[in-house]
Amino acid sequence: MADIMRDTPALPTVTRREDYTPPAWLVPTVDLGFTLDPAKTRVTARLDVRRNGDSDAPLRLDGARQPVIAVRVDGVVFNDFRLEGDDLVIPLTGDAHIVETEVEIAPERNTQLMGLYASGGNLCTQCEAEGFRRITYFPDRPDVLSIYRVRMSADRARLPVLLANGDPVAHGSDEDGRHWADWHDPFPKPSYLFALVAGDLAVNRDTFTTRSGRTVDLGIWVRARDLARTSHALDALKTAMAWDERVYGREYDLDVFNIVAVDDFNFGAMENKGLNIFNSRYILADPDTATDYDYDAIAAVVAHEYFHNWSGNRITCRDWFQLSLKEGFTVYRDQGFSADQGSAAVKRIEDVRSLRAAQFPEDAGPLAHPVRPESYIEISNFYTSTIYNKGAELVRMLATMLGPVAFRAGTDLYFDRFDGTAATCEDFVASLEEASGVDLTQFRLWYAQAGTPRISASLTHEAGGGRATLQLAQHVPATPGQPHKSPMVIPLKVRLFGAETGRALADEQLILLTDTAETIVFEAVTERPVLSINRGFSAPVVIDSDRTPGELAFLSAHDDDPFARYEAMQQLMLDTLVAGALGSPVDHTAVIDAVAATLDDTTLDPAFVAEAVLLPSDSFVGDQLSVVDPDAIFAAREALRHDLGRALSESWRAAYAVPVGPYSYSPEAKGRRRLRNVALGYIAASGADDADALAYAQFEAADNMTDRQAALTTLVGGGSPLRDTAVATFYNRYADNGLVIDKWFQTQALSPRADTGAVVAGLARHPDFTLSNPNRARSLIGAFAVNQRAFHALDAAGKGPGYRFLADQLIALDRLNPQTAAKLLPPLDRWRRFDPVRSALMKAELERIVATPGLSKDLFEQASKSLE
Ligand code: TRP
Ligand code: ZN
């Protein structure tokens, strides 16, 4: 056997988009054998390899230094292989060979949760993006598509269920209590879509009949005790399957579709062909343990992964720089699905809120990157809000510019032409362009240029009636590596309303801003116009307009676009909070009046009202300031909350008094619960004496988790003795349910109280806290780090204990699970946005992280780029 060389880890290498070359070898078919055991699993791989093109390159297989037991070429033992770094290099003379390898891996020691790993005693895989190489040596890149056959064997008592991609073809028993199963996936797929599961699982089964009349067997696999909490996910799956047929003309293609839920998972879920694997938080739900938000998220993620069967699996990505090809499009598709299940307006508000919470700061910070990045060190770091959420906004803009009919023609052409291939973002745009005849040359800049464009909008009106003039200008800010930007095409939906009559003065218009500055003229404007712009959030930009508080209040009451109405209220609130945080004298009357008008408008959907009356978050206010002052922002926001609570006390009580009735998961019931709980928050903010008692009564009487957790949140943020009682009661009631205990940690980490930092430090020593479960790590560390006031609190010595805490936790987590550690770093990357004291403290923690010996390339990339 060849000598296994162990070279010292080199400086992380950079992968560049411009360096893409097609694979030197293809693997049309692969047979995998797994002798499964948590401690030691034997993996055999039989690769049918074909030289691609005329290069004479040796066969180079990606790996992770798993011990090679044997290599055979064309059936003969072959010892002439080399291990170069992580690669297995096999010199081959001909153009077609059968290469067999045999390796050993240890799933139960796999704490990274990439490759084959153990979760709760069961075995499962996660291969996207580059996890397959941790299982076996293979060209682990998405443009190598293979047909997979899999044989698994395992101890029947410990691992009675054996699942893999595609269809089950055979199974049987061996001697010694072992059993085996063969699965065959007829669709060629890249290695990142490979999956297997072996475990002690129960199943909730159903069937779905496709529109062409084929029956698909559906199964959701969980631990037996979780079986009763799978019906919502199963319903969502069937709804999503029908939706994709109706809206995109996409039908499912295998006879079997399985979903497995696991507790330890780095992400939300994974779209492996025919065998989706989910973080259990996106499957398990019942009213007692899951909130309305959880139910919605489950349906959205189930739909997302299912939709990937076409946008991701049938058509995959040529290379990882094209990631948004599948993720941006699939998020756009799942957003459309969710919008159709309830209030489209509320869904749009939620999506924009999360874009602003995660993607806008990313675009404005040191980790900013285009939707189609140019380079990476660790691809796992590019599963970002920019790729996913901004990517979805790009597809939405394309749909807006093309209109529904041409957009559907474009997606049909794309699915048809690129089916079975590994495609690029350019292929997608070119398909839409060809099908619609719309020139998308300038639009392509959206894929290439990072940074959130800022649009200034100024409307003037000639006194005495007649002409109104809208002056628009765009500016795309510099981002790392991109100092100069070209103007983009910005689709802006615009409408004018009459300030006196409240009526729309013309139809909604779609303006395509293409130059740095443009002037748009409206004729025959008979009364003073008020500008409604970026309606429906038609472009992911920041609008700087010269609209007065009176005009914003007017729009918040009269705009006929629900998003624009919400947006006007947000802008009014934001302007007030920014002024307050800057120490200017502020008058809360305009906000109070606007909120009162919305609360009293009985024509509005309660779910919409609940969103509209919520104040922008501390961090969103911070994003508007040149220097973030967390204490001033917190104080300004609390003052406004207090005044709103007091001034509108009767309205909040009235809203709170509207009964919701026994629990049901209908859009109406969800909306009423939401509004009631927002009202409870304002009653507490008002300082009313009975607020905690009210919350505690709700906490005790609740017949669902939405109301119970909302009450807990109110109590945890307050100062009454009921706080500790509620915290203890909640813990005891749900001690055996990990997903609910995550909520318990998270609620405390998000508390607005001054002692939150100390509470969180204590919780990190709680027996139930562990870094080895990503959900648990995120529920405490991740939640705390986005709690702007608590995370940035300075102690008596002027130090930042929150910063030190986060860095300590990240360094510890990095040793177990680099991917999850790296995902939790971004709160520190905002260091340049703070005052010199905080800025220096944050920077010092980043430097400490970078200087840590043995750091992963995941955390290294995030921390070092944050310092650049
Ligand atoms: N493709 C998955 C999705 O969007 C994302 C994903 C799941 C993932 N697991 C991962 C990404 C692990 C990186 C690493 O649904
Ligand atoms: Zn996805």
Side-chain angles (χ1 to χ4, degrees), residues 128 267 269-271 304-305 308 311 326-328 330-331 334 383 388:
E128 187 176 6
F267 234 73
M270 182 63 212
E271 69 264 23
H304 178 99
E305 305 310 331
H308 268 316
S311 48
K326 73 176 177 83
E327 295 304 346
T330 304
V331 171
D334 84 54
Y383 287 73
Y388 278 68

Short mmCIF file of all heavy atoms in Angstrom, two decimals, residues 128 267 269-271 304-305 308 311 326-328 330-331 334 383 388, ligand 2:
data_model
loop_
_atom_site.label_atom_id
_atom_site.label_comp_id
_atom_site.label_asym_id
_atom_site.label_seq_id
_atom_site.Cartn_x
_atom_site.Cartn_y
_atom_site.Cartn_z
N GLU A 128 -24.13 18.38 1.20
CA GLU A 128 -23.91 19.72 0.66
C GLU A 128 -23.13 20.53 1.68
O GLU A 128 -23.48 20.48 2.86
CB GLU A 128 -25.22 20.42 0.36
CG GLU A 128 -24.99 21.75 -0.36
CD GLU A 128 -26.30 22.45 -0.77
OE1 GLU A 128 -27.39 21.99 -0.41
OE2 GLU A 128 -26.19 23.47 -1.45
N PHE A 267 -28.10 23.14 9.42
CA PHE A 267 -28.91 24.08 8.67
C PHE A 267 -30.37 23.82 8.94
O PHE A 267 -30.71 23.14 9.91
CB PHE A 267 -28.59 23.89 7.18
CG PHE A 267 -28.17 25.14 6.47
CD1 PHE A 267 -26.93 25.69 6.69
CD2 PHE A 267 -29.02 25.74 5.55
CE1 PHE A 267 -26.54 26.84 6.01
CE2 PHE A 267 -28.63 26.89 4.86
CZ PHE A 267 -27.40 27.44 5.09
N ALA A 269 -32.62 22.35 6.50
CA ALA A 269 -32.97 21.07 5.91
C ALA A 269 -32.18 20.89 4.63
O ALA A 269 -31.49 21.81 4.19
CB ALA A 269 -34.47 21.01 5.60
N MET A 270 -32.28 19.70 4.05
CA MET A 270 -31.48 19.38 2.87
C MET A 270 -32.29 18.58 1.86
O MET A 270 -32.94 17.60 2.21
CB MET A 270 -30.23 18.60 3.32
CG MET A 270 -29.29 18.25 2.18
SD MET A 270 -28.62 19.75 1.39
CE MET A 270 -28.45 19.15 -0.27
N GLU A 271 -32.15 19.02 0.60
CA GLU A 271 -33.02 18.54 -0.48
C GLU A 271 -32.54 17.28 -1.17
O GLU A 271 -32.87 17.05 -2.34
CB GLU A 271 -33.15 19.66 -1.52
CG GLU A 271 -31.87 19.96 -2.33
CD GLU A 271 -31.03 21.12 -1.81
OE1 GLU A 271 -31.14 21.44 -0.61
OE2 GLU A 271 -30.26 21.71 -2.60
N HIS A 304 -39.80 24.45 0.42
CA HIS A 304 -38.49 24.82 -0.15
C HIS A 304 -37.72 23.58 -0.59
O HIS A 304 -37.26 23.50 -1.73
CB HIS A 304 -37.71 25.62 0.90
CG HIS A 304 -36.34 26.02 0.48
ND1 HIS A 304 -36.05 27.27 -0.01
CD2 HIS A 304 -35.16 25.34 0.46
CE1 HIS A 304 -34.76 27.34 -0.31
NE2 HIS A 304 -34.19 26.18 -0.02
N GLU A 305 -37.59 22.63 0.31
CA GLU A 305 -36.80 21.44 -0.03
C GLU A 305 -37.49 20.64 -1.14
O GLU A 305 -36.83 20.13 -2.04
CB GLU A 305 -36.58 20.56 1.20
CG GLU A 305 -35.95 21.27 2.40
CD GLU A 305 -34.70 22.07 2.09
OE1 GLU A 305 -33.98 21.71 1.14
OE2 GLU A 305 -34.45 23.07 2.78
N HIS A 308 -36.87 22.20 -4.49
CA HIS A 308 -35.52 21.95 -5.01
C HIS A 308 -35.49 20.74 -5.95
O HIS A 308 -34.54 20.60 -6.73
CB HIS A 308 -34.55 21.66 -3.86
CG HIS A 308 -33.83 22.85 -3.31
ND1 HIS A 308 -33.26 23.82 -4.11
CD2 HIS A 308 -33.55 23.23 -2.03
CE1 HIS A 308 -32.67 24.73 -3.35
NE2 HIS A 308 -32.82 24.40 -2.08
N SER A 311 -35.78 22.87 -8.99
CA SER A 311 -34.79 23.97 -8.98
C SER A 311 -33.66 23.60 -8.02
O SER A 311 -33.61 24.06 -6.89
CB SER A 311 -35.46 25.29 -8.57
OG SER A 311 -36.27 25.15 -7.42
N LYS A 326 -29.88 27.93 -7.57
CA LYS A 326 -30.90 27.07 -6.95
C LYS A 326 -31.49 27.70 -5.70
O LYS A 326 -32.68 27.55 -5.45
CB LYS A 326 -30.33 25.67 -6.68
CG LYS A 326 -29.35 25.53 -5.52
CD LYS A 326 -28.95 24.05 -5.33
CE LYS A 326 -27.93 23.82 -4.24
NZ LYS A 326 -28.49 23.74 -2.89
N GLU A 327 -30.68 28.40 -4.90
CA GLU A 327 -31.21 28.89 -3.63
C GLU A 327 -32.07 30.14 -3.78
O GLU A 327 -33.13 30.24 -3.18
CB GLU A 327 -30.07 29.12 -2.62
CG GLU A 327 -29.34 27.84 -2.22
CD GLU A 327 -30.24 26.75 -1.66
OE1 GLU A 327 -31.41 27.04 -1.32
OE2 GLU A 327 -29.78 25.59 -1.58
N GLY A 328 -31.61 31.11 -4.57
CA GLY A 328 -32.42 32.32 -4.75
C GLY A 328 -33.75 31.97 -5.40
O GLY A 328 -34.82 32.42 -4.95
N THR A 330 -35.27 29.05 -5.46
CA THR A 330 -36.11 28.20 -4.62
C THR A 330 -36.71 29.01 -3.45
O THR A 330 -37.86 28.78 -3.07
CB THR A 330 -35.33 26.98 -4.14
OG1 THR A 330 -34.83 26.28 -5.29
CG2 THR A 330 -36.21 26.02 -3.35
N VAL A 331 -35.96 29.96 -2.91
CA VAL A 331 -36.56 30.83 -1.88
C VAL A 331 -37.70 31.63 -2.50
O VAL A 331 -38.78 31.76 -1.91
CB VAL A 331 -35.51 31.77 -1.24
CG1 VAL A 331 -36.19 32.82 -0.36
CG2 VAL A 331 -34.50 30.97 -0.42
N ASP A 334 -40.57 29.33 -2.66
CA ASP A 334 -41.24 29.03 -1.37
C ASP A 334 -41.95 30.25 -0.82
O ASP A 334 -42.99 30.14 -0.18
CB ASP A 334 -40.28 28.35 -0.38
CG ASP A 334 -39.39 29.28 0.42
OD1 ASP A 334 -39.89 30.20 1.08
OD2 ASP A 334 -38.16 29.04 0.44
N TYR A 383 -23.40 30.24 2.24
CA TYR A 383 -24.84 29.97 2.37
C TYR A 383 -25.43 31.12 3.16
O TYR A 383 -25.82 30.98 4.32
CB TYR A 383 -25.07 28.60 3.01
CG TYR A 383 -24.75 27.50 2.02
CD1 TYR A 383 -23.43 27.20 1.69
CD2 TYR A 383 -25.76 26.81 1.37
CE1 TYR A 383 -23.13 26.24 0.74
CE2 TYR A 383 -25.48 25.84 0.42
CZ TYR A 383 -24.16 25.56 0.10
OH TYR A 383 -23.86 24.62 -0.84
N TYR A 388 -29.33 33.59 -0.58
CA TYR A 388 -30.71 33.11 -0.45
C TYR A 388 -31.72 34.24 -0.65
O TYR A 388 -32.56 34.18 -1.54
CB TYR A 388 -30.92 32.48 0.94
CG TYR A 388 -30.45 31.05 1.05
CD1 TYR A 388 -29.10 30.71 0.99
CD2 TYR A 388 -31.36 30.02 1.25
CE1 TYR A 388 -28.67 29.39 1.11
CE2 TYR A 388 -30.95 28.69 1.37
CZ TYR A 388 -29.61 28.39 1.29
OH TYR A 388 -29.19 27.08 1.40
ZN ZN B 2 -32.30 25.58 -0.46
#
